[in-house]
Amino acid sequence: MTSLVQHITIDCADAYELASFWADVLGSAVSDDDGPGDPEALVESPRGALLFISVPEPKSTKNRIHLDLRPEDRTRDEEVERLLALGATLVGDHRKPNGRGWATLADPEGNEFCVECGAGERAALTGTRLPVTADDVTLAVRLAAGTLAQSPAQDWRVPAGTLTWDCWETVEHLGDDLFAYAVQLGPRRPPQDREVPYRYAPAREGGPAVSLFANPEAGVTGLLETLEASGALLSAMVRTTPADVRSHHSFGLSDPEGFAAMGIVETLVHTRDVATGLSLPWAPPQDLCDRVLARLFPDAPDDEDRWTVLLWCTGRADLPGRDRVTSWKWHSAPLDR
């Protein structure tokens, strides 16, 4: 057996005040159990936890351990400016004219930390593609569920776009796909030549074969909850599974990033199918489409609208000057960066 890091503990003069600063840094919150004047304050985030403890001794020298931050939705320099506005101070500028490097800041009590380039900046600097991540899965499912929840329709048994399934069945199929990709990464030794052996069956002749069925009595709200739950399972498995793990897919062995990208493509295109059936607008983010295209369809055209290209790759749209796709498969095997 091994040990896990429960949290990183930081000594300070005012636990709650410093925890509040770091909660703003991480886009999180101080624990509801802690308040001003408490000797301890906890900040939890999806990537870890920081525990602040008030001590009488002042900080006297440079920290032997520090945190390195990577912005997720802005550039390194934009993040530095945001943190300075929150109360940090710049203590060392190691940024280079070519865009590389980092900035060393200190929190309001003088604890040093660094801000590095975000994933997008790193990809631009190194000429590599941006990876598909667990956060991308979460984003895709959140956007899909949010869009479908806006439908005023009471009857979700209407056809989902050009599919032979109705809208309810298609959402069930989508949630089942996300679940299936998640469980492929779950066993201690993921299967290399078959799916994890859940039983699949259609609810009616001609319907999709699935393992998970939403309770009709829960209505559309319940149906979308099952979709969000399956998305959360896939996101968690992608986030926690080592990158070198491989598991079976009918198009070839894949890695956690591949299963994430597959789940996102299923989410984007099937949400479009359902949105069409329910007369809802649906246009996912271009950058999200671009990341999954680069991972699963590396030979896709790169000079057209990314969402339209993804629809074309999956046989759902035309591209000028190109034959319509009638049979397709994605590249499930890991790619060299």
Side-chain angles (χ1 to χ4, degrees):
M1 299 296 290
T2 59
S3 295
L4 298 175
V5 176
Q6 180 75 10
H7 38 59
I8 298 172
T9 302
I10 300 173
D11 290 348
C12 56
D14 189 321
Y16 186 80
E17 183 175 347
L18 193 58
S20 298
F21 167 81
W22 278 99
D24 289 338
V25 170
L26 301 175
S28 186
V30 180
S31 170
D32 292 339
D33 295 332
D34 302 319
D38 285 352
E40 299 181 2
L42 179 67
V43 175
E44 294 182 290
S45 74
R47 304 295 175 84
L50 301 179
L51 177 64
F52 299 87
I53 299 180
S54 297
V55 298
E57 301 86 5
K59 181 177 183 294
S60 59
T61 187
K62 183 180 182 297
N63 292 351
R64 295 294 297 273
I65 297 177
H66 70 268
L67 304 179
D68 287 338
L69 305 183
R70 185 191 71 194
E72 294 191 322
D73 56 356
R74 55 179 63 87
T75 67
R76 173 201 59 196
D77 293 348
E78 290 170 340
E79 181 67 349
V80 167
E81 293 305 312
R82 184 181 78 91
L83 300 180
L84 292 175
L86 290 177
T89 55
L90 181 66
V91 297
D93 197 337
H94 307 284
R95 291 173 286 187
K96 300 178 180 179
N98 65 3
R100 298 177 183 270
W102 68 95
T104 301
L105 280 67
D107 68 19
E109 291 204 13
N111 298 299
E112 298 89 0
F113 63 95
C114 294
V115 181
E116 301 183 349
C117 291
E121 291 175 294
R122 288 177 183 271
L125 288 168
T126 59
T128 56
R129 65 179 179 85
L130 272 173
V132 181
T133 68
D135 290 335
D136 289 331
V137 176
T138 300
L139 173 63
V141 175
R142 178 175 60 81
L143 292 174
T147 293
L148 298 180
Q150 297 175 25
S151 172
Q154 299 299 311
D155 181 12
W156 281 45
R157 293 298 181 180
V158 297
T162 59
L163 301 181
T164 58
W165 306 331
D166 63 40
C167 291
W168 183 283
E169 291 173 327
T170 303
V171 175
E172 280 187 328
H173 166 76
L174 171 55
D176 194 78
D177 278 342
L178 299 175
F179 169 80
Y181 295 149
V183 299
Q184 281 302 120
L185 298 170
R188 184 163 52 94
R189 293 187 178 88
Q192 305 293 288
D193 57 356
R194 58 174 174 78
E195 296 176 345
V196 175
Y198 286 90
R199 187 175 71 88
Y200 293 86
R204 63 169 180 88
E205 184 176 353
V210 298
S211 293
L212 306 179
F213 296 91
N215 183 352
E217 295 181 2
V220 170
T221 299
L223 175 66
L224 296 180
E225 282 182 1
T226 68
L227 173 60
E228 291 178 318
S230 291
L233 286 175
L234 178 57
S235 179
M237 291 306 302
V238 170
R239 193 183 305 280
T240 57
T241 302
D244 61 354
V245 168
R246 302 290 181 266
S247 189
H248 170 79
H249 184 272
S250 58
F251 292 163
L253 287 176
S254 197
D255 59 351
E257 185 198 14
F259 284 109
M262 294 179 220
I264 292 168
V265 171
E266 297 277 9
T267 300
L268 301 186
V269 300
H270 282 314
T271 298
R272 188 250 194 181
D273 296 332
V274 177
T276 299
L278 300 175
S279 300
L280 291 171
W282 170 245
Q286 291 284 315
D287 59 340
L288 181 59
C289 296
D290 190 60
R291 289 195 290 278
V292 295
L293 281 167
R295 173 59 182 82
L296 296 180
F297 302 96
D299 297 324
D302 59 5
D303 56 351
E304 300 282 353
D305 174 85
R306 309 317 289 153
W307 174 223
T308 303
V309 171
L310 183 56
L311 291 173
W312 176 79
C313 287
T314 56
R316 288 170 166 82
D318 294 315
L319 278 183
R322 300 178 184 273
D323 293 336
R324 190 178 181 96
V325 174
T326 57
S327 178
W328 61 273
K329 62 187 295 186
W330 48 48
H331 185 94
S332 58
L335 293 174
D336 293 332
R337 297 293 185 189

